[in-house]
Amino acid sequence: KAMSLLKRMERLYAEEGETGMKPNVYTYSACINAFAKSEDPNAPKQAEALLEDMKKAYQAGDMDVKPNVVNYNSVINAWGRCKTRGSAQRAAEILKIMESDNVEPDTLSYSLVVSAWAHSSEEDATLQAETVLEDMEVWAQKKNKAIDQAFENELKDYQENNRLDIGKDEGIFTSRSKRAAPSSLPAIRVHLDVDCYNTVLISLSKRYEPDAPDRAIAILNRMKKLAENGFETVRPNARSWNSVLNTLSRSKDSNAAQRVEDILCEMHSEGVMPDVFSYAALLHAYQKNNFPGAAQRADDIVRKMEQLYFDGEISSAPDVYHYTIVCACWARSGERIAAERCWEILNHMEQRVEEGHLKCKPNVRTYNAVIDAYSRAHYVDEAEDLLQDMIAKYQLGDRRVKPDGFTFNAVINSWTRSRRRDSGERAESVLKTLINFYKGGNSDVKPDSRSFSHIIDYYARCHDPDAGVKSERLLNTMADMFKKGEGDVVPNMFCFNSVIHAYSRTKDGNGGINAERVLHLLEDLHSNHGIHRLKPNTFIMNAVLHAWSRSGNPIACERVEEILHHMVDQYRIGKYQMQPNTRSYGLVLATWAKSKDPDKSKRAYNILRIMDDASKDNEHVLKNVHCYNAVINAAAFTEGGLEVQTKAFQIATSTLDELIACKEIEPISSSFGTYIKACGKLSSLPRNVVEKKLEWAFGECKELGLVNDFILTQMRYSCLPSQYQKLFGKLLLHKTVHERIEMSEIPFWWRRNVAERIVDAQRGDWWKND
């Protein structure tokens, strides 16, 4: 509208000759100022365009529109109020243009640029604001020095030209010059504004930059020094000190709380009384930088505030914010009395409300802190009771205690960390309460992924035989809610992996089938419902392989090989997230090792050879000693006739021989122990063949210094008495046939390299820690 009026005035003056309508500097100033206050994103450019019009008109000879400092300040203000990227930089550029146009800036010019940078989201915004602040200080000091010097020069000239003579006869003053005396005061000096500095300090407190505390303290010290040197208006006030305290309290410095206490003492010594905001910053420092004794110190501070208020030394009593921080400190402290202390503080707050301190009324954050303390202390019943109390109070009209998502999730998490048998059911009960609360008209309190994932993870960890079914039911509920538009309840990879893991713990033979059904749900959500991060990957595929491996299902071996080949095919066509790794092959090996298939040693050996080929173009596939052990283990437990067992024994022998000869991989005790076990269990083989290889394996084991209890036990069970006597000789003196030999009785060089944990070769779960 202002622009429209300006154009109309220009038209009336230019076309109809109405001289009274000729725009002047005041007209343009009003219009530029209107743009400076506008929310229109194009306002800064419009304001700058008007300033350019004024400059062109003035250069053309129109003296009535000469731009002044007010016009430039309005344009700077327009850019500073605009929060788009680059606006603060443009405000700084206008300041430089202003100086180049011979228009001297004033304090407001610099303050507006400082404010623009302080409110900018640019990465280096606070540094830029500090730079402009320093430029303003230099300008102000230089300006005041010039003003003072001019006054001193004028006074000196007056004294030189108007020297007074004392009349000797009349005793009166007579002047030899009629020059007027100068003003008794110099020109108005430049004053710096404390609010300009506070703007930068507040900006620093919100940035979380590592060096922000030191920079804030440096600015504070500079303000004090400037005040001592004549700029009294920039002396730090309570807001300045509180901003520095906030910056310190939010830092990650482990000594932050002590630094805040030091600044608080300095603030008091400077004559600025700390207020409730000052103490809030100190409490926040103790909350954020938790260390032994922090909760008790925060507790003491609030009690001190109560006393200070009672004594009249601070104007406001501690309120709900201060008490809530103390509860949060206690909750995080891990101290034994934390939960009880939080409950006492909550009761104290309610008592204060009854005494008339209405600002102490507990809110949802207060209750959340107490529930968090209960949850960490495993007071699960008390946590749920407090949640029900909040719901009841809210339904009676107290909106301050309306439970939020955190409230419900904290109680759910509390139950899932409990060791009680009914923990899963109780957690699900709280989840149902949350869903009903949400559907009852509280659209801002809705379940999210964490509400479900806590319980799903609990079922994945517990020993409930129905854990897989229960966790899958929750996962399906999540999927259904998401499909109906509940975007916060989006299933994630953690949930899917937990459900599959729960099925891998069941022993009903259907773990692999159930795991694949969960995998198909994941693929459906990814392909048909736009959850792009739910891509099948190596991790989830290995979880399915694990479920099949543990299932004991007769088709498990064939199925894990099919899944492995599918992973290889997907990887080769560019789906790198499906890249098989050592664990993938290891799970297939373990599945064959545990099967009852008479050809399992051959199939396991084939997988070992496939690993050789895969490792050539896949850096994540590396054979290790456990891969060889799995093949030997498969051979050791092969059941069948002479031909089958002979083939299995040949595979076991060649595998161990290959492992011993391998330069990259060293055998371990269980490698030899499993082979020795194979010599004993493959009973259909001719004893002369078995005894020869058994003696060879035991000799290699001794040479490598790997004889341990597992080796001694398997030798005792696999050797005939004559061979046992031959191999152990003098160690069997005073012992009966096949009597146990202790580790301490064998020569040290037999066991010199024994260091690893004994592995039960029958378990086949070595890949868990690889």
Side-chain angles (χ1 to χ4, degrees):
K1 291 182 178 180
M3 190 69 172
S4 176
L5 288 172
L6 177 62
K7 294 299 181 183
R8 186 178 178 186
M9 290 177 67
E10 289 176 341
R11 187 171 63 255
L12 289 171
Y13 171 69
E15 297 177 2
E16 301 182 19
E18 295 188 23
T19 56
M21 291 293 161
K22 181 179 181 298
N24 57 24
V25 67
Y26 301 107
T27 315
Y28 278 96
S29 295
C31 195
I32 293 173
N33 191 46
F35 278 115
K37 295 179 179 180
S38 172
E39 300 296 331
D40 186 346
N42 293 319
K45 293 181 180 179
Q46 296 277 10
E48 191 172 341
L50 283 173
L51 180 62
E52 289 299 319
D53 290 343
M54 292 180 71
K55 289 161 68 174
K56 291 177 182 177
Y58 173 68
Q59 290 169 359
D62 189 350
M63 304 301 293
D64 291 335
V65 293
K66 180 181 180 181
N68 57 34
V69 65
V70 175
N71 307 131
Y72 283 90
N73 286 352
S74 294
V75 175
I76 292 173
N77 188 32
W79 280 111
R81 286 167 55 87
C82 178
K83 299 299 185 266
T84 58
R85 191 170 183 83
S87 59
Q89 180 61 46
R90 187 55 187 164
E93 291 170 357
I94 297 297
L95 178 62
K96 292 181 180 179
I97 292 172
M98 179 181 184
E99 294 170 344
S100 66
D101 289 345
N102 295 320
V103 178
E104 185 178 11
D106 57 13
T107 308
L108 181 60
S109 310
Y110 286 98
S111 297
L112 289 170
V113 178
V114 168
S115 178
W117 279 119
H119 292 94
S120 170
S121 60
E122 302 282 348
E123 186 175 346
D124 62 341
T126 51
L127 286 172
Q128 295 287 355
E130 290 178 63
T131 300
V132 178
L133 204 60
E134 292 170 0
D135 291 343
M136 181 176 69
E137 291 171 10
V138 173
W139 168 81
Q141 290 169 337
K142 184 177 179 181
K143 182 76 174 174
N144 283 351
K145 184 177 180 180
I147 291 171
D148 294 342
Q149 188 64 50
F151 178 74
E152 291 177 4
N153 291 341
E154 186 176 353
L155 187 62
K156 184 177 180 180
D157 289 344
Y158 172 76
Q159 291 172 342
E160 287 293 329
N161 296 320
N162 298 280
R163 286 181 290 112
L164 300 177
D165 293 330
I166 299 177
K168 296 181 180 180
D169 297 330
E170 293 86 357
I172 60 172
F173 295 102
T174 60
S175 175
R176 298 190 326 185
S177 171
K178 295 183 178 181
R179 180 169 177 171
S183 169
S184 60
L185 294 174
I188 297 175
R189 304 174 88 249
V190 173
H191 297 287
L192 298 176
D193 185 7
V194 68
D195 288 335
C196 182
Y197 286 80
N198 289 349
T199 300
V200 180
L201 290 173
I202 293 170
S203 178
L204 271 174
S205 71
K206 297 177 180 179
R207 290 283 177 161
Y208 298 98
E209 295 173 2
D211 59 344
D214 294 330
R215 286 157 59 191
I217 292 173
I219 292 173
L220 185 72
N221 290 334
R222 216 163 66 235
M223 292 170 71
K224 291 192 292 182
K225 186 175 180 181
L226 286 167
E228 296 300 325
N229 292 333
F231 291 95
E232 184 60 33
T233 53
V234 83
R235 186 177 294 280
N237 56 21
R239 196 177 185 192
S240 314
W241 289 96
N242 288 345
S243 297
V244 176
L245 291 171
N246 281 330
T247 306
L248 282 166
S249 71
R250 293 172 180 172
S251 74
K252 295 181 179 180
D253 183 1
S254 59
N255 199 36
Q258 184 58 53
R259 294 182 73 183
V260 172
E261 294 238 29
D262 294 342
I263 293 294
L264 203 61
C265 292
E266 186 181 349
M267 176 182 181
H268 194 278
S269 66
E270 289 285 336
V272 182
M273 290 301 297
D275 55 22
V276 289
F277 301 104
S278 313
Y279 287 105
L282 178 56
L283 290 171
H284 183 68
Y286 279 112
Q287 179 190 9
K288 187 174 179 64
N289 299 277
N290 191 34
F291 55 85
Q296 185 61 60
R297 179 59 184 143
D299 205 323
D300 294 341
I301 290 167
V302 171
R303 282 186 285 180
K304 177 183 177 182
M305 290 177 68
E306 290 180 348
Q307 187 62 46
L308 289 172
Y309 175 72
F310 182 80
D311 294 340
E313 294 188 32
I314 57 175
S315 59
S316 300
D319 57 26
V320 59
Y321 180 75
H322 302 89
Y323 290 108
T324 300
I325 291 179
V326 177
C327 285
C329 287
W330 277 115
R332 293 183 58 197
S333 70
E335 296 190 30
R336 183 178 54 83
I337 65 169
E340 295 177 6
R341 184 60 188 138
C342 284
W343 176 247
E344 291 172 355
I345 292 171
L346 183 63
N347 289 331
H348 177 67
M349 292 173 70
E350 291 173 346
Q351 182 181 349
R352 297 273 290 172
V353 172
E354 292 176 1
E355 294 172 355
H357 299 281
L358 299 182
K359 290 184 177 181
C360 293
K361 189 174 181 62
N363 59 22
V364 61
R365 292 179 180 272
T366 316
Y367 277 92
N368 284 351
V370 180
I371 287 175
D372 188 31
Y374 278 147
S375 177
R376 293 170 186 262
H378 304 294
Y379 291 178
V380 286
D381 289 304
E382 289 81 356
E384 186 171 350
D385 289 344
L386 204 55
L387 169 62
Q388 297 298 337
D389 185 43
M390 291 175 71
I391 295 173
K393 287 183 177 179
Y394 169 67
Q395 291 173 342
L396 291 174
D398 189 352
R399 300 190 62 83
R400 292 189 180 191
V401 296
K402 179 181 180 180
D404 56 17
F406 176 88
T407 318
F408 286 96
N409 286 345
V411 178
I412 290 171
N413 190 34
S414 178
W415 277 114
T416 59
R417 293 192 299 173
S418 170
R419 295 182 179 179
R420 289 188 14 191
R421 288 189 175 184
D422 62 342
S423 294
E425 289 75 12
R426 295 294 295 270
E428 284 198 61
S429 175
V430 177
L431 176 60
K432 290 178 182 177
T433 303
L434 168 57
I435 294 173
N436 291 334
F437 190 76
Y438 167 61
K439 292 180 177 179
N442 301 292
S443 58
D444 56 328
V445 184
K446 58 180 67 176
D448 57 20
S449 299
R450 289 171 297 177
S451 311
F452 290 86
S453 63
H454 287 314
I455 309 176
I456 291 173
D457 178 57
Y458 167 80
Y459 284 129
R461 291 183 283 107
C462 76
H463 297 284
D464 187 339
D466 296 324
V469 174
K470 292 177 179 178
S471 60
E472 186 179 5
R473 184 183 66 243
L474 288 169
L475 182 63
N476 287 331
T477 303
M478 291 181 74
D480 291 341
M481 291 182 69
F482 176 78
K483 291 175 183 178
K484 292 177 181 178
E486 299 293 344
D488 291 328
V489 192
V490 54
N492 53 40
M493 295 298 286
F494 175 79
C495 295
F496 280 94
N497 185 67
S498 296
V499 175
I500 293 172
H501 180 66
Y503 274 125
S504 73
R505 294 168 65 93
T506 61
K507 297 180 180 180
D508 62 357
N510 294 320
I513 297 172
N514 295 330
E516 284 206 54
R517 184 174 62 250
V518 175
L519 176 63
H520 292 154
L521 175 61
L522 180 147
E523 292 171 337
D524 174 62
L525 291 172
H526 170 69
S527 302
N528 302 322
H529 297 281
I531 309 181
H532 301 296
R533 61 177 176 271
L534 284 184
K535 285 184 179 180
N537 57 24
T538 306
F539 188 76
I540 205 75
M541 298 304 290
N542 284 350
V544 176
L545 290 172
H546 187 210
W548 272 113
S549 180
R550 289 178 60 103
S551 70
N553 193 298
I555 67 169
C557 296
E558 299 293 344
R559 190 60 191 140
V560 292
E561 276 207 43
E562 290 172 2
I563 294 172
L564 178 62
H565 292 317
H566 174 69
M567 293 173 69
V568 172
D569 292 340
Q570 293 294 301
Y571 171 61
R572 286 175 177 170
I573 64 173
K575 295 185 178 180
Y576 299 112
Q577 76 275 5
M578 295 279 280
Q579 181 180 29
N581 58 18
T582 301
R583 177 173 165 79
S584 311
Y585 287 92
L587 286 162
V588 179
L589 284 168
T591 309
W592 278 115
K594 292 184 290 184
S595 77
K596 296 181 180 180
D597 192 305
D599 289 332
K600 64 180 185 177
S601 60
K602 179 181 177 181
R603 299 293 292 269
Y605 185 76
N606 290 340
I607 296 297
L608 193 65
R609 298 284 69 89
I610 292 172
M611 286 188 74
D612 287 331
D613 295 334
S615 63
K616 294 176 183 177
D617 59 357
N618 185 349
E619 62 180 5
H620 296 287
V621 177
L622 296 172
K623 287 191 302 182
N624 56 38
V625 66
H626 303 297
C627 299
Y628 286 94
N629 286 1
V631 178
I632 298 171
N633 191 55
F637 289 89
T638 297
E639 297 179 358
L642 177 61
E643 184 179 351
V644 172
Q645 290 199 359
T646 300
K647 183 62 178 176
F649 188 66
Q650 290 172 349
I651 290 173
T653 303
S654 62
T655 302
L656 181 61
D657 190 42
E658 180 184 331
L659 176 59
I660 294 171
C662 183
K663 296 180 180 179
E664 293 80 18
I665 305 170
E666 295 181 352
I668 58 177
S669 296
S670 58
S671 308
F672 293 100
T674 307
Y675 181 81
I676 294 170
K677 176 180 281 191
C679 293
K681 289 187 69 67
L682 299 174
S683 56
S684 300
L685 299 175
R687 288 309 302 175
N688 61 328
V689 175
V690 172
E691 290 181 357
K692 181 179 179 181
K693 291 299 181 182
L694 196 153
E695 186 174 346
W696 161 74
F698 185 61
E700 293 288 343
C701 186
K702 289 192 298 182
E703 287 295 324
L704 293 172
L706 293 173
V707 178
N708 62 5
D709 274 329
F710 181 51
I711 299 292
L712 295 174
T713 300
Q714 296 309 315
M715 287 294 292
R716 187 156 55 98
Y717 291 143
S718 299
C719 292
L720 292 176
S722 58
Q723 187 179 24
Y724 194 63
Q725 179 69 42
K726 175 185 174 183
L727 294 176
F728 288 95
K730 294 180 180 180
L731 295 177
L732 295 175
L733 289 177
H734 310 298
K735 291 183 181 289
T736 60
V737 177
H738 283 174
E739 185 176 342
R740 179 182 177 83
I741 298 174
E742 301 295 336
M743 283 283 289
S744 58
E745 295 175 326
I746 66 175
F748 172 75
W749 70 274
W750 288 15
R751 55 184 170 85
R752 65 187 183 279
N753 292 322
V754 174
E756 85 280 2
R757 178 178 62 85
I758 296 174
V759 177
D760 183 351
Q762 296 187 51
R763 289 182 60 190
D765 59 354
W766 45 264
W767 62 88
K768 283 183 178 178
N769 299 317
D770 286 354

